Amino acid sequence: MGAMIREWIDKVILSSLNRNAEKLSTVFELKQQDDVSITKQSLEQTFQKDLLVNDFQQCMYMLRHYDSVNWDLTKFSFGQILVVIGACWTILNYEREADKTLLDVYKDGISNYIVGGILALSTCFVFLTLVAIMRNRTYFVLMGRYLNEHRRNVFKDKPFGFENKSKIWHNPAYPATIDWKSTQMICVILFFICYILLSFMSLYSLLFYCENTLCVSLICTQVIGLAGYYILNKMSK
Protein backbone atom coordinates (compact mmCIF):
# COMPACT_ATOMS: atom_id res chain seq x y z
CA MET A 1 0.00 0.00 0.00
CA GLY A 2 2.80 2.38 0.94
CA ALA A 3 4.66 1.57 -2.29
CA MET A 4 1.61 2.41 -4.37
CA ILE A 5 1.21 5.75 -2.61
CA ARG A 6 4.85 6.68 -3.18
CA GLU A 7 4.55 5.68 -6.86
CA TRP A 8 1.42 7.79 -7.21
CA ILE A 9 3.16 10.78 -5.60
CA ASP A 10 6.15 10.40 -7.95
CA LYS A 11 3.85 10.35 -10.96
CA VAL A 12 2.09 13.50 -9.77
CA ILE A 13 5.44 15.28 -9.27
CA LEU A 14 6.79 14.19 -12.67
CA SER A 15 3.55 15.23 -14.34
CA SER A 16 3.75 18.64 -12.69
CA LEU A 17 7.37 19.06 -13.72
CA ASN A 18 6.59 18.14 -17.30
CA ARG A 19 3.76 20.68 -17.43
CA ASN A 20 5.98 23.43 -15.99
CA ALA A 21 9.22 22.41 -17.71
CA GLU A 22 9.32 25.55 -19.87
CA LYS A 23 8.74 27.85 -16.89
CA LEU A 24 11.39 26.08 -14.83
CA SER A 25 13.84 26.29 -17.72
CA THR A 26 13.23 30.04 -17.96
CA VAL A 27 13.80 30.47 -14.21
CA PHE A 28 17.07 28.54 -14.31
CA GLU A 29 18.27 30.51 -17.35
CA LEU A 30 17.50 33.81 -15.62
CA LYS A 31 19.31 32.62 -12.50
CA GLN A 32 22.31 31.61 -14.57
CA GLN A 33 22.31 34.96 -16.38
CA ASP A 34 22.15 36.79 -13.05
CA ASP A 35 25.09 34.78 -11.75
CA VAL A 36 27.10 35.53 -14.90
CA SER A 37 26.19 39.23 -14.70
CA ILE A 38 27.22 39.42 -11.03
CA THR A 39 30.51 37.64 -11.77
CA LYS A 40 31.23 39.95 -14.71
CA GLN A 41 30.44 43.04 -12.64
CA SER A 42 32.67 41.79 -9.82
CA LEU A 43 35.53 41.22 -12.26
CA GLU A 44 35.09 44.69 -13.74
CA GLN A 45 35.12 46.30 -10.31
CA THR A 46 38.25 44.35 -9.35
CA PHE A 47 39.96 45.42 -12.57
CA GLN A 48 38.97 49.07 -12.06
CA LYS A 49 40.23 49.02 -8.47
CA ASP A 50 43.55 47.46 -9.48
CA LEU A 51 43.89 49.98 -12.31
CA LEU A 52 43.32 52.94 -9.99
CA VAL A 53 45.75 51.59 -7.39
CA ASN A 54 48.49 50.93 -9.96
CA ASP A 55 47.80 54.26 -11.63
CA PHE A 56 48.16 56.13 -8.33
CA GLN A 57 51.44 54.39 -7.54
CA GLN A 58 52.89 55.08 -10.99
CA CYS A 59 51.82 58.72 -10.81
CA MET A 60 53.56 59.11 -7.45
CA TYR A 61 56.69 57.64 -9.02
CA MET A 62 56.45 60.05 -11.97
CA LEU A 63 55.92 62.98 -9.60
CA ARG A 64 59.17 62.15 -7.80
CA HIS A 65 60.86 61.62 -11.17
CA TYR A 66 59.89 65.08 -12.45
CA ASP A 67 61.10 66.67 -9.22
CA SER A 68 64.47 64.90 -9.49
CA VAL A 69 64.72 65.96 -13.15
CA ASN A 70 64.27 69.58 -12.04
CA TRP A 71 67.18 69.33 -9.61
CA ASP A 72 69.38 67.55 -12.15
CA LEU A 73 68.77 70.37 -14.65
CA THR A 74 69.45 72.95 -11.95
CA LYS A 75 72.78 71.39 -10.97
CA PHE A 76 73.81 71.03 -14.62
CA SER A 77 73.03 74.64 -15.45
CA PHE A 78 74.75 76.09 -12.39
CA GLY A 79 77.73 73.87 -13.12
CA GLN A 80 78.08 75.09 -16.69
CA ILE A 81 77.75 78.73 -15.56
CA LEU A 82 80.63 78.24 -13.09
CA VAL A 83 82.69 76.54 -15.79
CA VAL A 84 82.05 79.42 -18.19
CA ILE A 85 83.09 81.99 -15.58
CA GLY A 86 86.25 80.01 -14.92
CA ALA A 87 86.97 79.72 -18.65
CA CYS A 88 86.58 83.47 -19.18
CA TRP A 89 88.82 84.20 -16.23
CA THR A 90 91.46 81.79 -17.56
CA ILE A 91 91.36 83.30 -21.06
CA LEU A 92 91.79 86.83 -19.75
CA ASN A 93 94.67 85.81 -17.47
CA TYR A 94 96.45 83.54 -19.95
CA GLU A 95 98.22 86.25 -21.93
CA ARG A 96 98.18 88.95 -19.29
CA GLU A 97 101.55 90.48 -18.66
CA ALA A 98 102.70 91.75 -15.30
CA ASP A 99 102.08 95.39 -16.14
CA LYS A 100 98.59 94.82 -17.62
CA THR A 101 95.22 94.58 -15.99
CA LEU A 102 92.33 92.32 -16.98
CA LEU A 103 90.64 95.32 -18.59
CA ASP A 104 93.71 95.91 -20.79
CA VAL A 105 93.59 92.31 -21.99
CA TYR A 106 89.84 92.61 -22.52
CA LYS A 107 90.39 95.62 -24.80
CA ASP A 108 92.98 93.98 -27.04
CA GLY A 109 90.37 93.35 -29.79
CA ILE A 110 90.44 89.55 -29.54
CA SER A 111 89.70 88.53 -25.97
CA ASN A 112 86.42 90.41 -25.87
CA TYR A 113 85.11 88.41 -28.87
CA ILE A 114 86.25 85.11 -27.39
CA VAL A 115 84.67 85.91 -24.03
CA GLY A 116 81.52 87.19 -25.73
CA GLY A 117 81.21 84.02 -27.81
CA ILE A 118 81.60 81.78 -24.75
CA LEU A 119 79.04 83.83 -22.83
CA ALA A 120 76.63 83.64 -25.77
CA LEU A 121 76.89 79.84 -25.80
CA SER A 122 76.31 79.79 -22.05
CA THR A 123 73.23 81.99 -22.57
CA CYS A 124 71.82 79.45 -25.03
CA PHE A 125 72.42 76.58 -22.61
CA VAL A 126 70.73 78.49 -19.76
CA PHE A 127 67.72 79.26 -21.95
CA LEU A 128 67.40 75.61 -23.01
CA THR A 129 67.54 74.66 -19.34
CA LEU A 130 64.79 77.18 -18.61
CA VAL A 131 62.60 75.69 -21.32
CA ALA A 132 63.22 72.17 -20.02
CA ILE A 133 62.44 73.15 -16.40
CA MET A 134 59.24 74.94 -17.42
CA ARG A 135 58.08 72.03 -19.54
CA ASN A 136 58.97 69.64 -16.73
CA ARG A 137 56.89 71.83 -14.42
CA THR A 138 53.79 71.36 -16.61
CA TYR A 139 54.18 67.57 -16.44
CA PHE A 140 54.69 67.79 -12.66
CA VAL A 141 51.49 69.85 -12.30
CA LEU A 142 49.52 67.40 -14.44
CA MET A 143 50.58 64.45 -12.27
CA GLY A 144 49.88 66.43 -9.10
CA ARG A 145 46.35 67.32 -10.19
CA TYR A 146 45.64 63.73 -11.17
CA LEU A 147 46.78 62.49 -7.75
CA ASN A 148 44.63 65.12 -6.05
CA GLU A 149 41.65 63.84 -8.01
CA HIS A 150 42.34 60.34 -6.66
CA ARG A 151 42.54 61.69 -3.11
CA ARG A 152 39.33 63.69 -3.45
CA ASN A 153 37.50 60.61 -4.67
CA VAL A 154 38.63 58.69 -1.56
CA PHE A 155 38.40 61.47 1.03
CA LYS A 156 34.83 62.54 0.17
CA ASP A 157 33.33 59.53 2.03
CA LYS A 158 35.72 59.83 5.02
CA PRO A 159 36.90 56.19 4.89
CA PHE A 160 37.48 54.63 8.35
CA GLY A 161 36.64 58.02 9.87
CA PHE A 162 39.60 59.69 8.14
CA GLU A 163 38.89 63.44 8.04
CA ASN A 164 42.15 64.69 6.48
CA LYS A 165 42.78 67.14 9.32
CA SER A 166 46.30 67.73 8.03
CA LYS A 167 44.70 69.26 4.89
CA ILE A 168 46.79 67.26 2.43
CA TRP A 169 46.13 68.42 -1.11
CA HIS A 170 43.04 66.94 -2.72
CA ASN A 171 41.85 69.70 -5.06
CA PRO A 172 42.35 68.63 -8.71
CA ALA A 173 42.61 72.28 -9.75
CA TYR A 174 45.95 72.56 -7.94
CA PRO A 175 48.89 72.89 -8.02
CA ALA A 176 48.96 75.90 -10.32
CA THR A 177 51.52 75.88 -13.11
CA ILE A 178 52.78 79.32 -12.13
CA ASP A 179 53.30 79.09 -8.38
CA TRP A 180 56.04 81.47 -7.26
CA LYS A 181 56.43 79.64 -3.93
CA SER A 182 57.39 76.34 -5.55
CA THR A 183 61.07 75.37 -5.72
CA GLN A 184 60.77 74.78 -9.46
CA MET A 185 59.58 78.33 -10.11
CA ILE A 186 62.33 79.68 -7.84
CA CYS A 187 64.81 77.88 -10.11
CA VAL A 188 63.12 79.44 -13.13
CA ILE A 189 63.47 82.93 -11.61
CA LEU A 190 67.14 82.43 -10.75
CA PHE A 191 68.01 81.09 -14.18
CA PHE A 192 66.04 83.81 -15.93
CA ILE A 193 68.13 86.39 -14.06
CA CYS A 194 71.28 84.52 -15.15
CA TYR A 195 69.90 84.42 -18.69
CA ILE A 196 69.45 88.20 -18.73
CA LEU A 197 72.88 88.91 -17.21
CA LEU A 198 74.69 86.51 -19.55
CA SER A 199 72.85 87.98 -22.54
CA PHE A 200 73.91 91.50 -21.60
CA MET A 201 77.53 90.54 -20.90
CA SER A 202 77.86 88.56 -24.14
CA LEU A 203 76.31 91.38 -26.22
CA TYR A 204 78.45 94.00 -24.49
CA SER A 205 81.58 91.97 -25.24
CA LEU A 206 80.69 91.27 -28.87
CA LEU A 207 79.64 94.89 -29.49
CA PHE A 208 82.47 96.40 -27.46
CA TYR A 209 83.86 98.52 -30.30
CA CYS A 210 80.50 99.71 -31.64
CA GLU A 211 79.14 103.17 -30.96
CA ASN A 212 76.84 103.47 -27.94
CA THR A 213 77.72 99.94 -26.90
CA LEU A 214 75.98 100.16 -23.55
CA CYS A 215 72.66 101.46 -24.95
CA VAL A 216 72.62 98.97 -27.83
CA SER A 217 73.44 96.09 -25.48
CA LEU A 218 70.68 97.11 -23.06
CA ILE A 219 68.07 97.39 -25.83
CA CYS A 220 69.05 94.04 -27.35
CA THR A 221 69.01 92.44 -23.90
CA GLN A 222 65.48 93.73 -23.31
CA VAL A 223 64.35 92.29 -26.65
CA ILE A 224 65.98 88.93 -25.86
CA GLY A 225 64.44 88.93 -22.38
CA LEU A 226 60.94 89.62 -23.72
CA ALA A 227 61.32 86.93 -26.37
CA GLY A 228 62.49 84.45 -23.74
CA TYR A 229 59.60 85.34 -21.44
CA TYR A 230 57.11 84.85 -24.30
CA ILE A 231 58.52 81.42 -25.13
CA LEU A 232 58.56 80.32 -21.49
CA ASN A 233 54.97 81.49 -21.07
CA LYS A 234 54.00 79.32 -24.04
CA MET A 235 55.83 76.36 -22.53
CA SER A 236 53.80 76.65 -19.34
CA LYS A 237 50.50 75.92 -21.12
Side-chain angles (χ1 to χ4, degrees):
M1 184 66 179
M4 292 178 63
I5 293 174
R6 286 196 298 271
E7 185 178 354
W8 179 78
I9 293 173
D10 292 338
K11 288 181 179 180
V12 171
I13 293 173
L14 289 174
S15 177
S16 177
L17 289 174
N18 289 330
R19 288 195 304 268
N20 296 281
E22 186 175 349
K23 294 181 180 179
L24 290 173
S25 177
T26 303
V27 170
F28 286 129
E29 287 179 0
L30 291 174
K31 181 65 171 62
Q32 187 177 11
Q33 289 176 0
D34 290 340
D35 292 341
V36 171
S37 178
I38 292 172
T39 303
K40 183 178 179 181
Q41 186 177 5
S42 177
L43 289 173
E44 288 179 351
Q45 290 177 348
T46 302
F47 173 76
Q48 292 169 354
K49 182 184 72 174
D50 292 342
L51 177 63
L52 288 175
V53 170
N54 291 330
D55 213 19
F56 185 87
Q57 292 173 345
Q58 291 300 317
C59 285
M60 285 296 296
Y61 168 77
M62 291 304 297
L63 200 69
R64 293 191 293 269
H65 169 70
Y66 289 136
D67 197 44
S68 64
V69 167
N70 174 73
W71 288 114
D72 289 341
L73 289 170
T74 300
K75 289 183 286 186
F76 166 77
S77 190
F78 269 123
Q80 73 88 16
I81 290 173
L82 293 176
V83 169
V84 164
I85 293 174
C88 293
W89 181 266
T90 302
I91 290 170
L92 293 176
N93 279 276
Y94 182 71
E95 296 182 354
R96 187 175 66 134
E97 298 177 0
D99 58 339
K100 288 185 178 182
T101 63
L102 289 177
L103 185 60
D104 295 329
V105 177
Y106 186 77
K107 293 179 179 179
D108 65 2
I110 298 176
S111 297
N112 63 296
Y113 292 115
I114 297 174
V115 170
I118 293 174
L119 292 175
L121 288 175
S122 179
T123 303
C124 294
F125 278 117
V126 170
F127 182 71
L128 290 175
T129 302
L130 273 170
V131 171
I133 291 176
M134 184 57 73
R135 200 60 197 160
N136 183 72
R137 171 69 182 175
T138 59
Y139 297 141
F140 180 89
V141 168
L142 180 63
M143 291 296 104
R145 291 177 178 178
Y146 186 65
L147 290 171
N148 287 344
E149 187 175 359
H150 275 265
R151 292 193 184 103
R152 186 184 66 173
N153 185 50
V154 174
F155 291 168
K156 65 181 180 180
D157 296 326
K158 296 183 179 180
F160 307 106
F162 183 76
E163 299 180 0
N164 189 24
K165 292 183 178 180
S166 61
K167 304 299 180 184
I168 191 69
W169 307 286
H170 61 278
N171 188 345
Y174 291 94
T177 304
I178 307 299
D179 183 4
W180 302 113
K181 294 181 292 184
S182 70
T183 54
Q184 294 167 344
M185 293 308 299
I186 291 174
C187 292
V188 169
I189 294 171
L190 291 175
F191 284 130
F192 194 80
I193 294 173
C194 293
Y195 168 68
I196 295 297
L197 292 176
L198 289 170
S199 298
F200 172 74
M201 292 168 62
S202 63
L203 288 170
Y204 187 82
S205 298
L206 294 172
L207 303 174
F208 189 75
Y209 289 102
C210 296
E211 295 183 2
N212 301 318
T213 302
L214 182 61
C215 293
V216 173
S217 299
L218 286 173
I219 293 172
C220 292
T221 301
Q222 290 178 356
V223 173
I224 292 173
L226 291 174
Y229 177 80
Y230 175 79
I231 295 172
L232 291 176
N233 189 48
K234 288 292 184 181
M235 291 292 103
S236 66
K237 298 178 180 179

